[in-house]
Amino acid sequence: MKRQRTTLTLSLLYTALLMAGCNQSTTSEKNDDGSKKLVIGATMLSMQNEFIVNVYDEIEKKAGADGVDLITVDAERSALKQVEQVESFIAQKVDAIIMNPCEVEASSPAVAKALAANIPIINVNSETSAKPSAFVGSDDVESGRIAMKFIADKLKGKGNVVMIHGYMGQAAQIKREQGAREVLKQYPGLKLLAHQTGEWDRAKAMSLTENWIQSYGSQINAVFAHNDEMGLGAAKALLDAGMKDKVIVVSIDGIPDALQGVKKGTLDATIFQNAEQQGSKAIETAIKAAKGEAYEKQTLIPFQLVTKDNLASFLKP
């Protein structure tokens, strides 16, 4: 489910900071031991995306526990806005920046600007073509492979698949497609019937699947959605059409709704991506970089296939 975060209606904060002037720096607060309090800026792809909110929640939690002042802004899927937000962080002289990139190429100038200002920048969950100080996330190519291999096994290597892309140009979309296509090449009997973006959105994926049902009907044997929101939207369209029991639906992220979907049989599988570990490792890396301590330049957290067989270990009490 999508969440509104009133505490993060920080477009207002962002606007206020810009109006305050680009030459102002952050106030130097002190910790209880007299040391300077670190200030870290975080720009997130979209706070309307449940998985991204889960990543951010862990960043916020650990920042609070470690006595870090966290300034957070929502890029609202705009790479241009994200670059401007990073420019604002630089003007405020933050100690480090965490960026959840909107796009591989269009968000890259933000990385270059931060590094030119000698401010460490850590990409979390998604990548840019420009190399940041560090990357914390998972191998999205592998998630695409896992999802399509599950479909190939279920269909015994023969059938028609439709693929719902994420936001075009974002690293996860590019790499999840890459992984899926690698597996498709290994199974000549599997055909990619159609593919189109659902922009990570449940309602858009539902509408897209309804259109495909009209066009292809019973020819569709499986749906691979690049995230759970879209997988759940596709499953709803299939349920409404009375087709779900004949079509496999697999998606990625392992959000709570998707885990419940696997439990109910709405989804056949989800590929779990550990939002908590991504968030905690991102802020941990940013703190180390800000303090000039040694840190890992790349942290990859494995994806895990979730089906009814192992679902219990992923469900929270």
Side-chain angles (χ1 to χ4, degrees):
M1 296 289 290
K2 296 182 180 179
R3 292 170 52 185
Q4 295 285 345
R5 294 184 63 94
T6 54
T7 57
L8 285 175
T9 310
L10 289 179
S11 291
L12 296 174
L13 173 59
Y14 170 56
T15 303
L17 289 168
L18 287 180
M19 291 175 66
C22 291
N23 294 322
Q24 290 188 333
S25 62
T26 52
T27 303
S28 295
E29 294 185 23
K30 301 287 185 180
N31 290 310
D32 293 340
D33 61 2
S35 61
K36 178 182 175 290
K37 202 166 192 177
L38 290 178
V39 180
I40 294 176
T43 168
M44 308 301 290
L45 162 72
S46 171
M47 294 305 291
Q48 302 304 310
N49 179 293
E50 184 173 347
F51 182 83
I52 299 305
V53 170
N54 292 341
V55 172
Y56 172 74
D57 283 346
E58 200 62 27
I59 292 173
E60 183 182 46
K61 177 181 173 183
K62 190 163 179 58
D66 291 349
V68 171
D69 276 347
L70 187 66
I71 304 171
T72 310
V73 287
D74 184 349
E76 298 177 339
R77 301 189 186 278
S78 168
L80 177 60
K81 179 178 287 188
Q82 190 160 63
V83 173
E84 291 172 347
Q85 289 169 345
V86 169
E87 288 174 338
S88 179
F89 289 152
I90 293 167
Q92 295 171 70
K93 299 181 180 177
V94 299
D95 297 295
I97 296 168
I98 294 172
M99 182 168 73
N100 171 217
C102 293
E103 295 184 40
V104 172
E105 297 298 337
S107 293
S108 285
V111 172
K113 288 173 184 289
L115 296 179
N118 293 316
I119 297 175
I121 182 166
I122 287 77
N123 283 357
V124 62
N125 179 254
S126 191
E127 299 173 62
T128 52
S129 57
K131 189 175 181 181
S133 306
F135 171 72
V136 177
S138 300
D139 182 358
D140 281 303
V141 176
E142 183 61 19
S143 70
R145 290 191 195 113
I146 294 169
M148 194 58 71
K149 183 65 167 62
F150 177 85
I151 289 171
D153 289 345
K154 286 293 182 181
L155 294 179
K156 295 181 170 54
K158 293 181 180 180
N160 297 317
V161 183
V162 294
M163 179 162 56
I164 308 178
H165 294 267
Y167 190 75
M168 302 302 287
Q170 194 192 9
Q173 175 271 317
I174 294 169
K175 294 196 167 188
R176 289 174 188 183
E177 178 185 12
Q178 178 186 333
R181 287 185 180 274
E182 285 179 10
V183 174
L184 282 170
K185 286 181 181 177
Q186 299 169 19
Y187 293 88
L190 282 182
K191 179 183 177 184
L192 186 60
L193 197 61
H195 61 105
Q196 193 171 322
T197 182
E199 298 182 355
W200 305 120
D201 185 85
R202 190 178 302 200
K204 289 180 180 178
M206 181 177 173
S207 177
L208 176 59
T209 305
E210 288 169 345
N211 291 338
W212 281 339
I213 290 169
Q214 290 293 320
S215 299
Y216 302 108
S218 60
Q219 293 180 63
I220 302 171
N221 302 121
V223 177
F224 167 42
H226 284 191
N227 80 341
D228 288 334
E229 289 288 348
M230 297 189 299
L232 290 163
K236 179 65 166 63
L238 290 163
L239 280 166
D240 290 348
M243 292 175 58
K244 177 59 197 71
D245 59 338
K246 299 173 184 175
V247 180
I248 296 163
V249 181
V250 182
S251 53
I252 297 173
D253 282 342
I255 63 173
D257 272 6
L259 297 177
Q260 288 301 316
V262 172
K263 185 177 181 179
K264 296 172 184 175
T266 308
L267 292 178
D268 294 270
T270 181
I271 317 301
F272 180 76
Q273 182 177 199
N274 199 315
E276 290 183 3
Q277 284 191 26
Q278 288 189 15
S280 64
K281 290 292 184 182
I283 187 70
E284 179 183 309
T285 303
I287 291 170
K288 287 181 178 179
K291 289 181 176 179
E293 299 173 356
Y295 59 90
E296 293 291 331
K297 299 296 190 291
Q298 178 172 268
T299 302
L300 293 178
I301 299 153
F303 282 98
Q304 296 170 272
L305 175 67
V306 182
T307 65
K308 280 190 176 180
D309 293 338
N310 64 346
L311 177 63
S313 61
F314 292 89
L315 290 172
K316 293 184 179 180

